[in-house]
Amino acid sequence: MDPASGTVTLPWDRFMMTPKEWDDVVSGLNVALIECVEAAGIASGERPKRVIPDNDSFYGYGVWLMRDAQRYGYVRPESPEKLDALSRAADNAVTQAELDQRARCAQTSDDVLALRADRLNTTGPWVAELDAARDAIRKTSAWQQVVADWGACLTGNGAKPDLGAFAASGVDWEAVERYEVREADVKLAILDVACKDKTDFVQRLGDLDASAQAPIISAYRADLQKSRSDLEAVHARAIAVLRRAGL
C-alpha cells in the first residue's frame, strides 16, 4: 500500500496496465477515431484531447485515507474538471454521420483496431483461479480476524461496521452517488479510517490477498509476462498516436 498515491498494488496488478497507461490508450483510441472520421471527409464534433484522469485512490478495502475521509467522507473525490466533463458528456455534438463512420473505423482503421479495449488480451485460465483465490481467502479465519478487529474498534467507538462496503454503517449511499458530501458521513468516515489505521486493516488484508495471488502468478508467470509485453506494445502505439496529434 502507498498512502502517498492512495493505491494498493497486488501481484496481478503488476502485469496489468496502470490507470495512467489506460488513460493513454483511451486517449489514443479517441484520437485515432477522430482522425479516421475526418480522413473520410466528415467533420468531427470532437477535438483530439487526452481524457481527464480519474481519481486513482484504491477503494477495494473501502475508504482508508484520512485526508479523503476528512474532506469527502465516502464520496470518491474527482477533480472539478472531471466532474464537469461527466456532466457534459451527453451534450457532445456528434452527428449520426460521424457515429456511422466511427463504427466503420472500428473495423477498418489499423490504429483503432490496435487500441480497442476488446482486442486487448488480458484473459487466461489465471483469471478464474485468481477470482477463486480471492473468494477463498475471504473465508479464512485470518481474513475474518482482521475484519473483526476493525469492527470491534468501530463498535467500541459507538458505530457499527457495514461489512459489505467495508464502511461504517449508516452512510447515505444515495448522497454519495450524487457526489454530495454530508457532515454525518464525514464523521463516520473519519471514525472508520481511524479504526482501519489502528488495526492495520488495509495492509493486513492486502497481504492476505497478495499471498492468495502469489502461487497463481508464479504458475502462470511466463503467460503473464507475455500478456504484459503485449499491453506495453499497445501502450506504445497509443503514445505514438497522441504524439502525432501533438498531445
Side-chain angles (χ1 to χ4, degrees), residues 147-183:
V147 174
D149 291 345
W150 162 70
C153 176
L154 283 174
T155 302
N157 285 277
K160 294 181 180 179
D162 179 345
L163 301 181
F166 287 142
S169 182
V171 177
D172 185 341
W173 293 110
E174 291 185 359
V176 170
E177 287 294 319
R178 296 192 300 268
Y179 292 95
E180 179 182 327
V181 179
R182 298 175 65 250
E183 183 179 355

Side-chain angles (χ1 to χ4, degrees), residues 27-72:
S27 299
L29 175 61
N30 289 340
V31 169
L33 280 168
I34 293 170
E35 290 178 341
C36 181
V37 165
E38 296 194 334
I42 299 171
S44 176
E46 297 185 349
R47 61 180 179 82
K49 61 182 182 297
R50 283 181 173 270
V51 299
I52 301 172
D54 290 319
N55 174 6
D56 293 340
S57 294
F58 181 92
Y59 284 85
Y61 308 127
V63 173
W64 60 279
L65 292 170
M66 186 59 77
R67 63 176 182 264
D68 285 350
Q70 292 171 333
R71 185 172 180 183
Y72 301 105

Side-chain angles (χ1 to χ4, degrees), residues 144-163 191-192 195-196 198-199 201 204:
Q144 295 302 322
Q145 185 61 60
V146 178
V147 174
D149 291 345
W150 162 70
C153 176
L154 283 174
T155 302
N157 285 277
K160 294 181 180 179
D162 179 345
L163 301 181
L191 178 57
D192 173 13
C195 283
K196 284 172 179 167
K198 182 178 181 179
T199 60
F201 182 85
R204 291 164 71 192

Side-chain angles (χ1 to χ4, degrees), residues 53-131:
D54 290 319
N55 174 6
D56 293 340
S57 294
F58 181 92
Y59 284 85
Y61 308 127
V63 173
W64 60 279
L65 292 170
M66 186 59 77
R67 63 176 182 264
D68 285 350
Q70 292 171 333
R71 185 172 180 183
Y72 301 105
Y74 287 94
V75 172
R76 183 173 182 135
E78 297 288 2
S79 68
E81 294 81 10
K82 184 71 175 184
L83 293 177
D84 181 59
L86 290 172
S87 69
R88 292 185 291 103
D91 297 332
N92 287 339
V94 177
T95 65
Q96 187 60 50
E98 178 172 357
L99 291 174
D100 292 342
Q101 183 58 37
R102 280 173 172 252
R104 289 189 287 271
C105 290
Q107 303 298 326
T108 59
S109 166
D110 289 342
D111 283 330
V112 173
L113 285 168
L115 300 177
R116 276 173 48 182
D118 62 323
R119 297 297 183 96
L120 302 184
N121 183 21
T122 58
T123 61
W126 56 86
V127 176
E129 292 185 32
L130 287 164
D131 286 344

